[in-house]
Amino acid sequence: MKVHEYQAKEILARYGAPVPRGSVARSPAEARKVAEDLGGKVVVKAQVHAGGRGKGGGVKLAGSAEEAERVAGEIIGMQLVTHQTGPAGQKVKSVLVEEQMPIERELYLSVLIDGAAQRPVVMASAEGGMEIEEVAANNPEAIHRVHVDPAVGMEPFQARQLAFALGLKGDTMKPAVSLMLSLYEAFIAKDASLAEINPLVVTSDGRVLALDAKMNFDDNALYRHPEIEGLRDKDEEDPLEVEAGELGIQNYVKLDGNIGCVVNGAGLAMATMDAIKLAGGEPANFLDIGTVNDVNRVVNAFKIIRKDPGVQAILINIFGGMARVDVIAQGVVEAHAQMDVRVPVVVRLEGTNLAEGEKILKDSGLPVRRAADLGEAAKLAVEAAAGR
Ligand code: GDP
Ligand code: MN
C-alpha cells in the first residue's frame, strides 16, 4: 500500500526525521491560509501516489500567500501526468504547502528489502533529485549500500559510513546519521517495503532534511497497523484492483496485455505470465484466486477480467492440490451462466478431481478450448487473443 508524501512525512517526523514545516491543503483558499502561517514563501506540491511530479508541473514555488493560492488553484484539479502515472495521468485532489528550503545539496536515501540478501538495505547517493533507476543504469558506482542485520538494527557506524560516502562532514554528519537511523526505525516499525527520501537536502544553513518522502507498506502486515490502513486513498489505486480486493481476490495486478489470467497459486500465476510471454503474447493481469474451494471466487475472477477492455482471451490455469479441479470447472460454467464472457476461454486443468472437472466442462457444452499442458495453454491463448 502507498501513501501520500504528506502522510509519509508525518510518519517520519514522529520517528525524529526533520521535514520542512507545512500542511496539506484541499482548496486554494486553504493553501493560502497555510502559506500565510508559513510566512508566504512556500512550495506547493501536488499530492498523488506517483513520483516525477516536479517534471510534470506538480511542484511549484510561490513567493507570497496570494501566489500560493493561485498556484494551488492551477495544481488542484489538474490531471498530473508523470512517468509513473501513465499517459492518462492522475487527478490532483490536494497539495502540500511547505516552507521553501535554501537547498545547497540534493542527496538520495532509501531503505528497502533486498530479497536476495534476505535483509533490509539502506541505499544512499549523492545524485539526489534524479530518478534512482536512472542513476543505477548510468552511474551505478554512485549508489552506496549497507545491508542491515534485522536482529541488530541499523548501527550508527553504518550510517556514518554512508554519510562519509555522500561527502557529508563537519556539522552535517551528525544530523545526517540521526536522520538515517530515524528512517530505518520508521521502516521497521511500520512494516514498510520502501522508505525513500529523494531529495534529502542539505540547506545553506547546514540543516539536513527530508524534502520529499515516499513510503510503501507491506500489504500482508497491514493487519498490524490499522493507523496505516486508515491512510489508504483508494482514488489513487487502480479501480479494478480495488474492486478485485472487495470481491475477495487480493492478488490481482492489472497489466497492459490482452490475455486475462485466472490461476491458483502465486508461483503458478508468475509461470503462466512467463509462458504467455514465451508464446509471444502479453498477460493482461496477474491473478491468483488462492486456495479456496469456492465457485464464487472463480465467478468473481471472471467479473474482474471481463471489465478490463483490453482483454481478448482468458487463460485459466489450475493445478489442483488442495484446490479441487471440479469446483473450478463449476466456477467456469457458472461464470458463463451469469455473464456474457465475450472472449474465447482456454482452460488447462490438472490435479485433484480432474476427471470430475473434465466431465463438468464437457457436459456444459461450453466452447472452451482445452489444453493438455501449460505450454499448449499459452500457445492457444495467444492464438485465441489474435482471433485465430
Ligand atoms: P518529485 O518530482 O515528485 O520527486 O517531487 P519532489 O518533492 O522531489 O520535488 C521535485 C524538486 O522540486 C526537488 O528535487 C527540488 O529541486 C524542487 N523543490 C522542492 N521543494 C523545494 C524547495 O523548498 N525549495 C527549492 N528551491 N526547490 C524545491
Ligand atoms: Mn522526489
Side-chain angles (χ1 to χ4, degrees):
M1 193 195 100
K2 296 180 181 177
V3 297
H4 288 292
E5 173 194 7
Y6 78 93
Q7 297 166 326
K9 279 177 166 165
E10 279 169 18
I11 294 169
L12 294 181
R14 259 180 263 136
Y15 285 84
V19 299
R21 288 184 305 139
S23 190
V24 70
R26 293 185 170 78
S27 70
E30 246 179 78
R32 181 193 184 110
K33 178 82 185 47
V34 177
E36 273 165 7
D37 293 345
L38 294 171
K41 225 179 138 197
V42 294
V43 53
V44 181
K45 311 177 74 177
Q47 297 300 288
V48 292
H49 288 185
R53 296 163 302 165
K55 279 183 202 147
V59 177
K60 287 186 174 151
L61 300 176
S64 66
E66 295 73 50
E67 197 182 348
E69 180 173 12
R70 187 172 54 74
V71 168
E74 287 166 16
I75 296 178
I76 296 172
M78 84 185 278
Q79 201 70 22
L80 180 59
V81 179
T82 81
H83 68 283
Q84 285 185 3
T85 60
Q90 183 65 37
K91 193 178 181 93
V92 182
K93 294 182 299 179
S94 61
V95 289
L96 174 60
V97 181
E98 278 185 342
E99 58 177 334
Q100 266 183 43
M101 286 292 137
I103 301 172
E104 195 167 278
R105 292 188 67 197
E106 295 198 6
L107 310 169
Y108 173 93
L109 179 67
S110 67
V111 186
L112 60 155
I113 300 291
D114 180 343
Q118 301 183 0
R119 51 187 57 196
V121 60
V122 185
M123 302 207 302
S125 163
E127 311 272 321
M130 291 178 34
E131 299 307 321
I132 194 67
E133 291 83 359
E134 221 170 280
V135 180
N138 302 328
N139 195 7
E141 61 285 357
I143 301 177
H144 310 279
R145 295 178 177 82
V146 297
H147 285 91
V148 179
D149 182 334
V152 178
M154 187 176 188
E155 301 197 70
F157 84 86
Q158 295 181 301
R160 282 197 293 275
Q161 207 174 306
L162 283 175
F164 268 119
L166 296 175
L168 296 168
K169 8 182 150 49
D171 291 346
T172 57
M173 171 61 93
K174 237 174 137 178
V177 165
S178 153
L179 194 153
M180 287 180 194
L181 297 175
S182 295
L183 184 68
Y184 182 82
E185 203 189 324
F187 174 89
I188 294 295
K190 298 298 182 187
D191 287 309
S193 54
L194 171 72
E196 180 182 69
I197 300 177
N198 188 23
L200 168 75
V201 297
V202 181
T203 62
S204 51
D205 52 349
R207 285 180 293 159
V208 179
L209 299 102
L211 201 74
D212 189 9
K214 178 175 180 174
M215 287 188 88
N216 297 350
F217 301 90
D218 182 345
D219 291 344
N220 292 316
L222 280 179
Y223 74 96
R224 307 208 291 193
H225 305 286
E227 79 289 1
I228 300 291
E229 196 148 28
L231 302 177
R232 189 161 175 197
D233 183 352
K234 287 187 181 174
D235 292 351
E236 297 282 328
E237 299 176 13
D238 185 280
L240 273 184
E241 293 187 5
V242 172
E243 201 180 330
E246 283 162 2
L247 287 174
I249 298 168
Q250 305 301 333
N251 289 323
Y252 169 82
V253 180
K254 167 97 177 68
L255 301 168
D256 293 331
N258 61 357
I259 299 175
C261 306
V262 180
V263 189
N264 69 323
L268 190 59
M270 302 280 271
T272 304
M273 298 194 304
D274 283 348
I276 289 171
K277 288 249 190 193
L278 195 63
E282 287 292 335
N285 62 273
F286 169 93
L287 193 163
D288 165 18
I289 56 170
T291 302
V292 286
N293 285 308
D294 179 357
V295 170
N296 265 323
R297 185 65 67 85
V298 181
V299 174
N300 287 344
F302 268 87
K303 276 187 190 157
I304 293 298
I305 289 180
R306 211 179 143 273
K307 285 199 179 170
D308 176 352
V311 168
Q312 283 165 320
I314 296 175
L315 169 53
I316 297 166
N317 185 21
I318 300 296
F319 195 100
M322 306 263 271
R324 281 165 38 200
V325 166
D326 56 324
V327 176
I328 304 285
Q330 268 167 25
V332 174
V333 174
E334 185 58 29
H336 281 82
Q338 287 189 23
M339 68 197 91
D340 174 11
V341 175
R342 280 196 330 244
V343 296
V345 175
V346 177
V347 182
R348 180 260 178 157
L349 301 172
E350 196 61 79
T352 308
N353 288 6
L354 175 62
E356 290 86 337
E358 285 188 323
K359 183 166 185 318
I360 289 167
L361 280 186
K362 195 151 172 265
D363 292 350
S364 75
L366 288 173
V368 296
R369 307 182 191 190
R370 298 293 313 281
D373 58 35
L374 176 51
E376 189 190 355
K379 190 168 150 277
L380 286 179
V382 171
E383 285 173 11
R388 278 179 273 141

